[in-house]
Amino acid sequence: MRGEGAPGAAADGISGGGAGASAGIPGPRGEAAGGGGKGRAAGTGDAGGPPRRGKRRVLRWVASVTALLILGTAGAGYLYYTYLNGNIRTDALNLGDNKLSAPRPNAFGQTPLNILLIGSDARDGEENKALGGAKDSFDGPPLADVQMLLHLSADRSNMSVISMPRDTLLKMPKCTEPNGKVHQASKGLVQTNESLQRGGPGCTVATWQELTGIPIQHFMMIDFKGVVSMADAIGGVPVCVDKNVNSRTRDGKGSGLKLPAGTSTIQGEQALQWLRTRYGFEDGTDIARTHAQHMYMNALAREFRKNAKLSNPVKLNSLAQAAIEAMVVDNGLNKIDKLYDLSMELKKVPTGRITMTTMPWIWSPQDSNRVEPKPGEAEELFRMVREDIPLDGQGTPQPGASASAAASPAPTSAPPSQPATDPAAPPAKIPVMVRNATGGKGAAESKVKNRANEIAALLVSKGFTKAVADSQTAGEDTTLIRYASLDQAGDAHAVAAALGLPPTAVQRSTDVSGVTLFVGKDWRTGNAPTPPPPPATKAPDSARPLNGDDEKACMKVQDGFTW
């Protein structure tokens, strides 16, 4: 949907919540924000004659990418259509073999929108070098140091954001760099911010899809100078600290942020310092920095609501121009028309229905300075987004919602598979390997002896005569079925149905060679796994949910960083 006088056609897949809608939003973040694109979209004005009426009229829009940056704010800007199109920077969304099907429409035919917001620490260019510090990394490959998944609900009533700490360890999918260099899927765990080096923003998106099973249609990136220009354009953002803070260690590390206790309005380089501060907030970790970013983005959204008004066209011009020049987007958002349509969708969400969260995490057993997704609770958060359930607990059941979709959550090791499209073979022709994983993750309990043999015999009694026990063992909290290739999907789902397992327990994985049943801790005895608990209806407390209307949020200052 678009407002009166809006030029152009609707953006691809973005409409007033109807079937086929797609997208999300970006925002200034952490240690930096999104890097340089690989070129600009060509201008679309008619150079040889007067522009069409729709293009001659100054574009009335909702702060376009600005609306994205501030989580669905409303506004309008008066900038010429051709000029803005010529300043949109794009990069390819190359997902390689990691594509997922589009989000499923709800019972009313409305479709959710998902966008990955990427903050790059690129130090390529004089402005970014001056702002970024760390001279030893000048002109080096950028890192995706800020990653936030934005989910706009199908009915446009709410918006959810999940941040992933940059120190998260996970598996990387196969990715290809723009120069053709191929990075094979990682065999071990890799720090998530390295994805940008392995194949550009498309690899970062593919890594999220691999972990969460959430189909992501778009990305947006911002860099150091983009954060500064946006904060300057809005005229400052109010933030709060509970004590005087000075983010500087004895050996000179830290962002340099220095603020008095209470609320201060920050902009320009000071805003960048806030978003990059690690030393001085909470426990001095990257997790604390994520929480500070959430507070900033919510405050920024509220400021845009106050300032992005038609009665102040001069300010709107600067806001809109700063937003366009700050962002790099995928080719699906390479026209003002598309950004306008997207911003109109974001406008529908009130700030009180915006929920900022951090992926639940645990300290990694492999590296005490790194984190991994928290078993159970991280997947619950991802599941809620996949199923378009509001993270603020204000959701209502949708007519025709699938009961099986809300059943058992899939483990965090891989996303659940998409519904099988290939037909299943007869049970007697489906080879099934049964692996004993009854000890749970982290070997919390001893495994039940001979459990793989018992369940293999159960499958044989159900007609799966090629089921055999695997000599290997594993550890899973919930029972699941993994398969290797798409032509095995139907067979895997047939095994799940025979055992009474939900579709969410079926996963595609490169860790197996065929259909493999992992008998988890939830199935230590009997002929059926323990029924899962009722699915969550709001974000877990470990995700640190923050409401967009919370003006009392205040960062706790770390001991030793006061003045």
Side-chain angles (χ1 to χ4, degrees):
M1 293 179 66
R2 45 193 343 130
E4 274 185 83
D12 296 341
I14 303 173
S15 61
S22 59
I25 116 177
R29 291 143 300 262
E31 219 163 59
K38 298 292 189 285
R40 297 172 179 265
T44 58
D46 298 323
R52 295 196 302 266
R53 177 176 178 80
K55 294 183 181 179
R56 183 176 67 250
R57 272 164 131 186
V58 276
L59 180 63
R60 178 171 175 264
W61 58 314
V62 186
S64 92
V65 179
T66 309
L68 310 174
L69 260 166
I70 53 77
L71 301 172
T73 186
Y78 286 93
L79 289 178
Y80 289 105
Y81 180 85
T82 303
Y83 172 79
L84 286 177
N85 264 332
N87 281 276
I88 296 175
R89 294 181 295 159
T90 63
D91 203 340
L93 178 55
N94 177 19
L95 295 176
D97 300 330
N98 306 291
K99 296 180 180 178
L100 293 179
S101 59
R104 298 181 189 175
N106 64 13
F108 302 106
Q110 302 165 310
T111 307
L113 313 178
N114 296 312
I115 274 193
L116 189 64
L117 321 176
I118 304 171
S120 161
D121 74 342
R123 291 166 170 86
D124 55 346
E126 295 307 313
E127 287 183 86
N128 281 330
K129 290 177 180 178
L131 294 167
K135 293 183 179 181
D136 57 339
S137 62
F138 281 4
D139 297 317
L143 296 170
D145 270 357
V146 180
Q147 301 175 33
M148 297 185 181
L149 175 65
L150 181 135
H151 172 81
L152 181 61
S153 68
D155 64 4
R156 306 305 187 255
S157 68
N158 66 90
M159 189 179 299
S160 303
V161 178
I162 302 176
S163 290
M164 184 188 297
R166 69 168 186 169
D167 294 333
T168 301
L169 296 179
L170 39 67
K171 288 190 175 182
M172 294 275 178
K174 177 182 177 182
C175 292
T176 304
E177 294 185 31
N179 61 12
K181 181 179 178 180
V182 176
H183 296 264
Q184 296 297 333
S186 66
K187 296 186 180 300
L189 301 181
V190 180
Q191 189 164 315
T192 184
N193 63 351
E194 295 182 22
S195 58
L196 203 56
Q197 299 179 355
R198 294 168 59 93
C203 187
T204 306
V205 172
T207 300
W208 271 80
Q209 291 193 157
E210 180 86 1
L211 174 68
T212 68
I214 300 169
I216 301 171
Q217 298 92 339
H218 299 289
F219 72 82
M220 293 184 173
M221 296 197 300
I222 187 171
D223 57 14
F224 292 137
K225 66 179 184 295
V227 172
V228 171
S229 65
M230 285 304 306
D232 285 343
I234 194 60
V237 177
V239 295
C240 177
V241 288
D242 69 348
K243 300 177 184 175
N244 298 342
V245 63
N246 184 12
S247 177
R248 190 67 74 192
T249 64
R250 292 180 180 178
D251 57 357
K253 295 180 179 178
S255 70
L257 178 73
K258 189 173 184 179
L259 291 175
T263 300
S264 300
T265 299
I266 59 175
Q267 63 186 100
E269 189 170 352
Q270 199 172 40
L272 180 61
Q273 290 174 335
W274 174 277
L275 294 167
R276 298 178 65 197
T277 293
R278 171 179 177 178
Y279 301 110
F281 284 160
E282 296 180 351
D283 58 358
T285 65
D286 183 56
I287 309 298
R289 174 166 40 204
T290 298
H291 300 157
Q293 293 164 7
H294 291 169
M295 291 185 188
Y296 179 93
M297 293 174 70
N298 278 343
L300 183 61
R302 294 191 296 267
E303 288 303 300
F304 269 80
R305 297 276 186 179
K306 296 175 185 176
N307 290 283
K309 300 181 184 298
L310 289 169
S311 58
N312 192 350
V314 174
K315 190 162 193 175
L316 285 171
N317 282 354
S318 64
L319 288 173
Q321 186 170 350
I324 289 294
E325 293 178 353
M327 304 305 301
V328 178
V329 301
D330 66 274
N331 292 325
L333 296 174
N334 65 352
K335 293 289 189 295
I336 293 301
D337 297 29
K338 299 176 181 180
L339 293 172
Y340 170 78
D341 287 335
L342 177 56
S343 65
M344 288 296 288
E345 296 302 291
L346 296 166
K347 172 186 177 181
K348 299 172 183 176
V349 180
T351 54
R353 295 301 311 281
I354 297 170
T355 305
M356 306 287 295
T357 64
T358 301
M359 178 193 74
W361 55 273
I362 57 171
W363 293 111
S364 172
Q366 298 189 17
D367 185 339
S368 60
N369 293 316
R370 302 291 182 264
V371 302
E372 295 181 27
K374 185 176 183 179
E377 293 187 16
E379 171 55 28
E380 272 296 277
L381 199 67
F382 302 150
R383 179 194 64 79
M384 291 180 70
V385 171
R386 284 197 303 268
E387 297 175 14
D388 199 26
I389 299 172
L391 299 185
D392 58 9
Q394 298 184 43
T396 55
Q398 294 292 332
S402 169
S404 63
S408 174
T412 56
S413 56
S417 75
Q418 298 296 304
T421 55
D422 70 306
K429 293 186 177 182
I430 300 177
V432 184
M433 189 69 69
V434 183
R435 191 170 296 180
N436 188 344
T438 54
K441 286 186 176 293
E445 299 182 33
S446 60
K447 295 178 175 61
V448 178
K449 292 183 179 181
N450 298 319
R451 193 60 178 151
N453 288 299
E454 292 173 359
I455 302 304
L458 175 64
L459 280 171
V460 170
S461 71
K462 292 178 178 291
F464 294 86
T465 55
K466 290 188 176 183
V468 295
D470 191 351
S471 60
Q472 297 185 57
T473 60
E476 297 291 346
D477 291 334
T478 57
T479 299
L480 59 99
I481 299 171
R482 289 179 176 145
Y483 63 94
S485 58
L486 290 176
D487 60 358
Q488 297 169 347
D491 295 346
H493 280 275
V495 174
L499 295 174
L501 295 171
T504 50
V506 181
Q507 303 175 351
R508 185 181 178 189
S509 173
T510 57
D511 293 336
V512 296
S513 58
V515 177
T516 304
L517 170 64
F518 290 76
V519 184
K521 190 170 73 171
D522 62 341
W523 199 4
R524 294 173 64 88
T525 61
N527 289 336
T530 302
T537 56
K538 66 178 298 185
D541 291 341
S542 59
R544 286 282 295 264
L546 180 65
N547 184 271
D549 271 351
D550 187 351
E551 298 187 36
K552 296 181 179 180
C554 201
M555 283 302 296
K556 179 178 174 58
V557 174
Q558 186 181 11
D559 292 341
F561 288 87
T562 58
W563 53 276

